Every structure is written in C-alpha cells, then in structure tokens.
Amino acid sequence: MLLLVVLFIVPFVSSAENDISLSTYNVQLGDSFSIEGDSVKYMGSDFTGNAMINFYGPNDDYVLLTQIVDGYFSQNAGFCKHDCIFPDNEGNYSIGISLLDASLVELEEFLVPGILGVNNKLDIVIGLESVQINPGEEIKLEGSVQRSVDSKILESGDVKILFDEVEYKTSISSEKFIYKFITGGDITSGYHDLDVSIIDSQGNYGETTIQFFVVGVAQLLNINFEKDSYLPDEVVSIMPSLVDQAGEEIIEEVELKIYDGKGRRQIKEMALSNDDYDYILEKYAVPGEWKVNIKGAGLKVERYFNVEEVEKINLLLNGQFLEITNTGNVHYSNPLLLEDENGEVVEKRTNLAPGENMSIILYTIFEEGQQTFK
C-alpha cells in the first residue's frame, strides 16, 4: 500500500509588500505605543480576518490578537508593571505578524521592519552644594531624574539615599529632589559615598553614586614612651600620637623639643606624628625629670620621663699611677680607701664631676716593692 503524506508548510515571508509600522521604536516601561498596518495582503489581495502580533524578546515571547479589515489594522500595546498588556520585561523585541484563517490556523507570518527597544533605565543627575566638608557640617544633595529614552524629566517619584548603611528617603517635587542631613562630629575623614536610587511604579530603575570628602580635624595629641625611667646611654623611643575626630591616625609634621633635668633644651626638631622618634641619652645625661614638648596641628602637649642617677667610678692602674674616672652622671665625692697587703690603709679624697678624672702617684704613699691593693 502506498501512503501519501501531505506536509503544510507555513511560509515566513518578508513584509516588504505590506505597509506596517510602529508609532515609536524606543519606549520606556509604562509608555503606550501603536502598531499599524495598511494594505496587508495575502495571496495578492487585501487581507480580512484574524491575526497575531508576535513580540520575540530576549527572554520571553508575547502574542497579541488583532483583526485586519481590508488590509488595515491598528493596535495599541505597552510594557509595564501595572495596567499594561505586557509585563515589565525590558529588552529588544522583533515583531512578526501571523495571518490566521477562520479556524485560527496560521496562514503565513512576516516580520515587521526594525526592532522595538523597551527601556527600563532612569538617569539620575545629582550634585552636592559642597564636595568637601568638616565633621559635623551639613550635606545638601540636589538632583533630578530623566527617562533614558527621551531625557524627559520626571515630575514625581520617591528617591532613596544610602549613606553608611542607613537609608534615607525623599521625593521629587517640581522636577527635582533635595535632601539635607548633618554629618556626625565623629565621622571618619576621607571619601564617603552617597548611593542614590529610584524605581517608579512601572518598573523603571536608576541608580548612581556621588562622593564627598571629609577633612580630618586633629582632636588629640599625645606622647607615648616605652617606659618612664631611663639610664644614661639608653634610647628613649618617643611616639607623638595624633588622631582625628574619629580616632583615626593623622600623619603630619610636629615640632619636638626635649629639655633635660635642669630645664636646658637639648633638641628642637621636626618629627612625624604616629612614628617613633629615637633620642639617645648621652653618657653623662643629667639625672632628674626630663620634659618632652610636642606641638602640631594647632595642639600641644608635654610629658615627662626620668633619667636615673648613676654613681660610678672606674679605676685603671697605669704603672705607678692609679687613674680614677667618674663614669656616672652625678658628682662623685666619696673618699677612696687604698689598703696594701700589710693592712695599711690610705684615704684619698675625691671631688669629680661626671667624666672628670684624677691620678694618684702610688710610690709617694706606699713603700717600694710589689704591692697588692684592695
């Protein structure tokens, strides 16, 4: 037996012979647009009957039924979140017209020239009254919102402003929005972001970010030592600590002065805040309370450390001479007792300033010969 299979292929033809156009090829969510056909033909004659308008999108496709009479039709449509034929899905759509017979079977389909662009973008234009402020000062933000399709300014809408993870709200009035707020006195210095966004009732969305700069204001100057008491020849590590209103470190030059235990200035130099400055005490550093004075950023502070007393002498036997040197940092006047191996004791007075020395001629006070002293 011979089976005859008949295939019906729906032709996909060009719309060159059909006059079909859109009122606009770029729309915003919420806009209404029309598609109109004139002299729509099927098999060379003006078509009368049902038709489908097919919208082929990047993610979803949509169908709109219409009627064509003597080759003419006109249909309105729109994309939006509420009260529109199609949902708020932006993107580029190609459009095809399918002609149907009385049983709604497709006879043929042809593409409409051009692409329909559905846009959901809003452009936010914003500015700040001042882009650099001090802690505790006011921020004033002013802006407007435009449709991306035609740059038309929105007359109303709710705007959100996000700052330091806190959301603020304001509204568009007379085609602009204004928001003011006072920054905290302890706001961190440096750049800060203001994130501004809007979403309208139809699903159009816009966002942007603007920055402002907070000037660091020095609030506290301090001096830190590793310890409070030092010996001569030791290193005094001095840390000038300077912080701003938020407790953040500020690096800048400060003036550093050091005064010894007698109030005499030892140095006057520039140093960096929040960086160690090492000062080496001299071998004969004056004992007592030393003062460190630091000035910078409109602030000044002083702090004290102690240099301990060191009473010490060094003895050196050089032939017939005994050399005594005061290696301490205080005057040495204790008597020096010399005792030979026979138990004879000789007392010698001392009166040595720090670093000063004296000599004793041994043969003038002891008998000749080899002697052991203690």
Side-chain angles (χ1 to χ4, degrees):
M1 176 182 290
L2 180 63
L3 295 177
L4 178 63
V5 178
V6 180
L7 298 176
F8 292 93
I9 301 175
V10 177
F12 191 84
V13 299
S14 169
S15 63
E17 62 180 5
N18 301 297
D19 184 11
I20 300 175
S21 62
L22 276 68
S23 59
T24 178
Y25 287 86
N26 290 287
V27 296
Q28 199 91 27
L29 292 182
D31 289 348
S32 178
F33 64 93
S34 64
I35 179 169
E36 184 175 326
D38 194 13
S39 300
V40 178
K41 299 184 181 299
Y42 177 65
M43 298 183 66
S45 301
D46 288 341
F47 180 75
T48 295
N50 296 314
M52 292 190 305
I53 306 174
N54 303 305
F55 294 82
Y56 300 110
N59 300 309
D60 296 295
D61 301 333
Y62 304 102
V63 175
L64 185 61
L65 290 175
T66 189
Q67 284 191 330
I68 301 176
V69 179
D70 295 332
Y72 176 82
F73 76 93
S74 180
Q75 186 69 50
N76 293 326
F79 290 80
C80 68
K81 182 175 289 188
H82 305 291
D83 303 324
C84 288
I85 294 176
F86 302 132
D88 56 335
N89 288 335
E90 57 88 26
N92 293 324
Y93 291 82
S94 58
I95 301 174
I97 307 296
S98 295
L99 303 181
L100 309 175
D101 65 11
S103 300
L104 300 182
V105 175
E106 189 177 79
L107 300 172
E108 71 174 15
E109 182 181 17
F110 51 84
L111 284 177
V112 175
I115 297 294
L116 172 65
V118 180
N119 196 306
N120 69 342
K121 299 296 189 296
L122 296 174
D123 299 325
I124 303 176
V125 181
I126 54 176
L128 293 171
E129 186 175 64
S130 178
V131 296
Q132 180 171 300
I133 64 167
N134 291 318
E137 290 185 342
E138 181 183 77
I139 283 288
K140 181 180 179 181
L141 173 71
E142 185 172 339
S144 61
V145 182
Q146 302 174 351
R147 289 159 42 103
S148 180
V149 166
D150 53 16
S151 297
K152 182 180 178 181
I153 299 177
L154 269 61
E155 297 181 354
S156 62
D158 295 326
V159 177
K160 295 180 181 179
I161 302 164
L162 186 65
F163 172 60
D164 279 355
E165 299 182 352
V166 178
E167 185 177 272
Y168 306 91
K169 294 182 179 180
T170 187
S171 298
I172 297 173
S173 177
S174 301
E175 299 186 341
K176 67 179 181 180
F177 63 89
I178 298 175
Y179 194 79
K180 303 176 184 178
F181 65 92
I182 302 296
T183 58
D186 59 350
I187 186 173
T188 57
S189 57
Y191 286 99
H192 291 262
D193 289 342
L194 289 174
D195 299 317
V196 183
S197 63
I198 182 173
I199 182 167
D200 68 12
S201 60
Q202 301 302 340
N204 294 297
Y205 179 78
E207 63 179 354
T208 190
T209 298
I210 192 169
Q211 287 188 321
F212 65 93
F213 185 84
V214 177
V215 178
V217 177
Q219 294 288 326
L220 180 63
L221 179 62
N222 201 1
I223 302 172
N224 298 317
F225 302 128
E226 289 182 344
K227 56 184 182 177
D228 294 326
S229 187
Y230 296 85
L231 294 170
D233 273 337
E234 283 193 319
V235 176
V236 182
S237 185
I238 302 168
M239 166 74 81
S241 172
L242 181 63
V243 297
D244 66 9
Q245 69 284 348
E248 300 290 334
E249 292 183 351
I250 298 177
I251 306 298
E252 65 176 68
E253 280 195 330
V254 295
E255 182 186 74
L256 184 146
K257 298 177 183 177
I258 298 178
Y259 298 85
D260 68 15
K262 293 184 177 180
R264 296 172 300 192
R265 191 177 74 194
Q266 297 298 304
I267 64 165
K268 176 184 177 182
E269 293 186 9
M270 300 304 294
L272 283 178
S273 61
N274 299 298
D275 193 14
D276 283 330
Y277 179 90
D278 290 336
Y279 177 74
I280 303 175
L281 291 169
E282 295 179 350
K283 183 177 181 179
Y284 304 110
V286 174
E289 191 175 62
W290 286 48
K291 181 175 70 173
V292 178
N293 183 290
I294 293 180
K295 181 171 63 175
L299 302 170
K300 61 181 179 179
V301 65
E302 61 183 40
R303 190 177 171 188
Y304 299 86
F305 65 90
N306 186 63
V307 175
E308 297 179 9
E309 288 188 358
V310 177
E311 190 178 70
K312 182 180 179 182
I313 59 172
N314 182 60
L315 302 178
L316 178 64
L317 184 61
N318 185 10
Q320 294 293 322
F321 296 89
L322 180 63
E323 296 179 356
I324 303 105
T325 303
N326 183 357
T327 56
N329 64 346
V330 292
H331 200 91
Y332 191 88
S333 59
N334 295 332
L336 186 65
L337 301 178
L338 302 175
E339 182 181 352
D340 66 10
E341 58 186 9
N342 297 319
E344 183 180 352
V345 177
V346 177
E347 179 179 316
K348 286 291 184 179
R349 294 181 179 179
T350 61
N351 187 24
L352 300 174
E356 191 176 3
N357 60 65
M358 61 180 284
S359 295
I360 297 175
I361 304 174
L362 298 176
Y363 66 79
T364 62
I365 58 176
F366 292 105
E367 295 180 0
E368 293 184 7
Q370 183 175 333
Q371 298 285 352
T372 302
F373 298 102
K374 58 181 179 179

